[in-house]
């Protein structure tokens, strides 16, 4: 699974049009070469290559244009990835090729299984449905087809999960899915439209309640309720929020200082309900920490960055210790990285000292110790601006770390790290 995940991430990075642009500008030749390599290592291409290599009959079919149904779908899916990599919108003709063998709404065919076995294609469809920009799907019919393909993939994935669960329970499990294609398609379209609506507002209100009746609700409350109820909509909202934060025009917009708190609050609610979105959400606060706007006062800008750090602290408490602390430590150790200044370091560490308590795990000792030993962190915490009460808490935590360091599960490097912390902050 680790290598499959690595391959998926590599393909995603190479096919992502924004990644290509940031690496080589608008060079068409570079984009084409990058795309060719990504599609060549794709299982969609390799599967077809293996068929043609080992079967004369399959080769004859391909030469005479008599590909079977599954090969037609695989070719259409490769074309979908190509269009995405070029940064162009999806059209009805391409989506119709993927849906041509579906017999009306409510039917589940081979395309759902194919999409489910190639997660990158689902991400691409969500990308075109939710992400703002030129590649966002415009027409209603194209949105409906994108949403329907995603719904078919979700239903296929649920069927596989239920089959595996029943197999582990020796067939005695009564697990069943209540996901309906028509309903999920409608919710995906609504989620996409609501994202478009709130991004053009000055701010929006979020709610932690899953509201059944949506009559009279504001767009923000509708969006948050929909995202909390549906994992796939939540995934689309996270992609939307990431793209909004990355947009160069957002930080200079008039709505930046009012829309940012709403987005961060919505992400916090989503992370509670949908744990598998947390890894993607971790990246978003760091995008906000990079933002600068001379039109906004330092106090207001710092307050927005503190809210970003609170979201990281929340994810930290929810179990993302290694990833949150690892990302922060890496940035603090970069000499040319100034997105987290000394005051924010003190705010962050102070927040962590307020939420952690014994017994401490070896992983926490290792990760937090690595953060506390970074030169910029040492400088920030040893200054007079870090109050005495917080310094006492830090000393107590390091004393507890020394107890953990004596356990057999700690390595020599862990013991050395804790000893260095004790001498540094004594």
């Amino acid at each position: 699974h680790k290598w499959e995940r690595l391959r998926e991430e590599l393909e995603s990075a190479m096919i992502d049009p924004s990644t290509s642009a940031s690496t080589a500008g608008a060079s068409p030749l570079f984009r084409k070469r990058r795309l060719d390599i990504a599609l060549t290592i794709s299982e969609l291409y390799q599967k077809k290559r293996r068929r043609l290599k080992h079967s004369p009959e399959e080769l004859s079919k391909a030469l005479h244009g008599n590909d079977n149904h599954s090969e037609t779908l695989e070719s259409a899916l490769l074309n979908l990835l190509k269009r995405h990599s070029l940064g162009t919108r999806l059209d009805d003709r391409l989506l119709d090729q993927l849906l041509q063998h579906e017999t009306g709404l409510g039917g589940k065919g081979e395309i759902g299984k194919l999409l489910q076995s190639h997660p990158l294609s689902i991400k691409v469809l969500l990308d075109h449905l939710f992400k703002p920009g030129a590649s966002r799907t415009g027409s209603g019919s194209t949105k409906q087809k994108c949403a329907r393909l995603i719904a078919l993939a979700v239903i296929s994935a649920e069927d596989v999960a239920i089959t595996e669960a029943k197999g582990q329970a020796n067939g005695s499990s009564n697990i069943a899915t209540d996901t309906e294609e028509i309903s999920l398609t409608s919710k995906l379209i609504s989620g996409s439209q609501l994202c478009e609506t709130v991004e053009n507002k000055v701010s929006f209100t979020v709610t932690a309640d899953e509201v059944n009746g949506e009559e009279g609700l504001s767009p923000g409350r509708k969006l948050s309720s929909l995202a909390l109820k549906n994992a796939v909509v939540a995934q689309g909202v996270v992609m939307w929020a990431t793209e909004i934060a990355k947009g160069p025009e957002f930080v200079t917009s008039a709505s930046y200082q009012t829309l940012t708190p709403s987005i961060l609050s919505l992400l916090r609610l989503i992370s509670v309900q949908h744990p598998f979105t947390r890894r993607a959400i971790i990246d978003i606060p760091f995008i906000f920490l990079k933002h600068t706007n001379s039109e906004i006062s330092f106090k207001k800008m710092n307050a927005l960055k503190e809210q970003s750090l609170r979201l990281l602290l929340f994810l930290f408490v929810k179990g993302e210790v290694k990833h949150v602390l690892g990302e922060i430590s890496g940035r603090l150790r970069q000499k040319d990285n100034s997105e987290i200044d000394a005051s924010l370091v003190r705010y962050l560490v102070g927040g962590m000292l307020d939420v952690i308590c014994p017994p401490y795990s070896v992983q926490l000792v290792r990760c937090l110790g690595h953060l506390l030993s970074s030169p910029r962190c040492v400088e920030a915490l040893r200054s007079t601006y870090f109050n005495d009460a917080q310094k006492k808490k830090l000393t107590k935590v390091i004393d507890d770390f020394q107890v953990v360091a004596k356990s057999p599960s700690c390595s020599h490097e862990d013991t050395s790290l804790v000893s260095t912390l004790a001498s540094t902050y004594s």
Side-chain angles (χ1 to χ4, degrees):
H1 292 296
K2 178 178 71 174
W3 298 114
E4 288 179 8
R5 177 67 177 169
L6 179 61
R7 178 179 57 79
E8 289 172 9
E9 289 180 353
L10 180 61
E11 285 182 36
S12 178
M14 295 180 75
I15 290 176
D16 186 355
S18 62
T19 303
S20 301
S22 64
T23 305
S27 169
L29 179 60
F30 181 87
R31 285 192 179 213
K32 185 178 185 304
R33 286 179 176 174
R34 189 184 184 102
L35 173 61
D36 289 342
I37 293 172
L39 295 182
T40 300
I41 65 175
S42 168
E43 182 62 20
L44 286 167
Y45 177 82
Q46 292 296 327
K47 185 177 178 182
K48 182 177 180 180
R49 182 173 176 269
R50 286 193 293 268
R51 282 199 303 264
L52 297 179
K53 182 178 180 180
H54 299 292
S55 173
E57 294 80 7
E58 294 291 343
L59 180 59
S60 176
K61 286 180 183 179
L63 291 173
H64 293 88
N66 297 323
D67 289 1
N68 60 30
H69 170 43
S70 61
E71 292 172 357
T72 303
L73 289 178
E74 288 169 6
S75 297
L77 202 54
L78 277 170
N79 289 332
L80 173 76
L81 297 178
K82 288 179 183 177
R83 291 290 296 271
H84 170 72
S85 179
L86 296 172
T88 56
R89 285 186 179 182
L90 304 182
D91 55 32
D92 286 346
R93 181 186 60 81
L94 178 59
L95 298 176
D96 286 339
Q97 291 176 4
L98 294 169
L99 288 166
Q100 60 182 327
H101 294 281
E102 291 296 319
T103 54
L105 285 170
K108 291 178 285 183
E110 190 177 345
I111 183 59
K113 297 176 182 177
L114 181 63
L115 290 168
Q116 184 258 330
S117 62
H118 298 282
L120 177 58
S121 59
I122 304 173
K123 183 180 178 182
V124 168
L125 290 167
L126 280 170
D127 187 288
H128 285 264
L129 198 59
F130 281 89
K131 277 189 178 181
S135 63
R136 177 188 263 164
T137 302
S139 70
S141 64
T142 309
K143 278 187 178 180
Q144 194 274 338
K145 289 168 185 175
C146 275
R148 187 183 174 202
L149 285 167
I150 296 168
L152 289 169
V154 170
I155 293 170
S156 175
E158 288 186 351
D159 288 343
V160 171
I162 290 171
T163 302
E164 290 179 354
K166 287 182 177 179
Q168 293 173 357
N170 297 319
S172 60
S173 174
N174 294 321
I175 301 174
T177 177
D178 58 355
T179 302
E180 296 180 357
E181 178 194 329
I182 300 174
S183 174
L184 185 53
T185 300
S186 175
K187 289 171 181 175
L188 282 162
I189 295 172
S190 296
S192 172
Q193 292 172 339
L194 287 168
C195 283
E196 288 187 61
T197 301
V198 299
E199 73 188 47
N200 294 313
K201 289 185 172 292
V202 175
S203 66
F204 61 91
T205 305
V206 300
T207 178
D209 302 321
E210 295 184 8
V211 185
N212 293 321
E214 296 186 351
E215 291 295 328
L217 290 181
S218 65
R221 291 173 66 86
K222 286 182 181 178
L223 179 61
S224 54
S225 176
L226 194 60
L228 294 179
K229 292 178 185 176
N230 300 273
V232 65
V233 175
Q235 189 67 39
V237 171
V238 172
M239 295 172 70
W240 165 80
T242 304
E243 200 66 18
I244 285 287
K246 285 165 58 178
E249 67 284 348
F250 174 61
V251 69
T252 58
S253 66
S255 60
Y256 174 77
Q257 56 184 318
T258 52
L259 200 56
T260 295
S262 301
I263 293 174
L264 292 171
S265 299
L266 178 57
L267 292 172
R268 181 178 59 81
L269 294 178
I270 289 174
S271 71
V272 175
Q273 192 70 18
H274 305 290
F276 290 108
T277 63
R278 291 172 187 167
R279 297 286 173 84
I281 291 175
I282 286 173
D283 296 331
I284 302 176
F286 290 108
I287 299 174
F288 282 106
L289 288 171
K290 293 179 183 177
H291 289 168
T292 57
N293 187 336
S294 58
E295 300 296 321
I296 301 176
S297 67
F298 173 81
K299 184 177 179 180
K300 180 62 179 177
M301 204 70 188
N302 215 50
L304 295 175
K305 292 186 177 184
E306 286 179 355
Q307 186 178 356
S308 299
L309 292 178
R310 287 197 296 274
L311 177 55
L312 288 174
L313 282 171
F314 186 81
L315 295 168
F316 169 82
V317 171
K318 288 296 181 180
E320 298 297 329
V321 174
K322 183 178 179 181
H323 294 88
V324 169
L325 294 181
E327 287 289 336
I328 296 170
S329 297
R331 282 166 166 78
L332 289 179
R333 291 177 184 275
Q334 294 173 4
K335 293 182 180 180
D336 58 343
N337 191 316
S338 59
E339 59 194 58
I340 307 178
D341 62 25
S343 65
L344 293 176
V345 171
R346 288 189 288 270
Y347 183 85
L348 177 69
V349 174
M352 288 182 179
L353 294 175
D354 288 337
V355 297
I356 63 174
C357 63
Y360 298 120
S361 66
V362 175
Q363 185 185 64
L364 178 63
V365 171
R366 190 174 295 152
C367 295
L368 186 53
H370 189 65
L371 169 64
L372 294 173
S373 64
S374 62
R376 288 171 59 189
C377 189
V378 171
E379 182 182 355
L381 300 185
R382 293 184 66 180
S383 74
T384 55
Y385 295 103
F386 197 56
N387 63 58
D388 292 338
Q390 295 288 42
K391 285 181 178 179
K392 287 181 180 178
K393 285 184 181 180
L394 179 58
T395 302
K396 177 65 170 61
V397 167
I398 294 174
D399 290 341
D400 292 335
F401 280 7
Q402 288 180 304
V403 176
V404 177
K406 295 176 182 177
S407 66
S409 55
C410 282
S411 64
H412 173 71
E413 289 77 11
D414 297 329
T415 306
S416 176
L417 175 62
V418 174
S419 297
T420 302
L421 291 177
S423 61
T424 302
Y425 290 102
S426 59

